[in-house]
Amino acid sequence: MDLAELEVHHNTAKTRFEIDLGGPVAIADYIRAGDRVSFHHTLVPYAFRGKGIAGRLVKTALDWAREEGLKVRPQCWYVAQWIDRNPEYADLVEGR
């Protein structure tokens, strides 16, 4: 599986970002309220973990938040950890 070929889809109806993995779907869920967005759950099916899929989802979701002018509440541990490891996104976090 080539990570570059995987397409991230913004499913606004389900308020999540998705990558179809040929059956199973990796997701990053969010709740938007006004000028804030809370990322509360990131899930990659077990067989696909460790391949950079969650990071791809989170980066795409945070890029969307930046484009929308939103402040981020990283309630999901993975999103919080990803932001800590990618400090160029720290300015998005509410309260920073």
Side-chain angles (χ1 to χ4, degrees):
M1 171 188 340
D2 184 4
L3 186 61
E5 293 178 11
L6 295 176
E7 183 179 337
V8 179
H9 172 69
H10 186 185
N11 186 334
T12 56
K14 292 186 177 181
T15 62
R16 68 187 194 184
F17 288 83
E18 306 171 333
I19 295 178
D20 183 348
L21 300 167
V25 177
I27 62 168
D29 286 329
Y30 67 88
I31 297 171
R32 183 175 179 170
D35 65 348
R36 293 178 177 86
V37 61
S38 297
F39 290 100
H40 59 93
H41 186 67
T42 304
L43 175 68
V44 175
Y46 188 78
F48 295 93
R49 291 182 184 173
K51 301 179 187 311
I53 294 168
R56 176 88 178 272
L57 281 168
V58 170
K59 181 183 183 320
T60 301
L62 293 175
D63 288 343
W64 164 78
R66 187 180 303 283
E67 289 171 13
E68 293 289 313
L70 303 173
K71 281 304 204 178
V72 171
R73 290 180 181 164
Q75 295 179 317
C76 167
W77 70 267
Y78 184 84
V79 174
Q81 184 181 69
W82 195 92
I83 291 170
D84 286 345
R85 291 180 178 172
N86 296 274
E88 64 272 23
Y89 288 86
D91 64 301
L92 293 175
V93 177
E94 184 178 49
R96 287 193 186 169

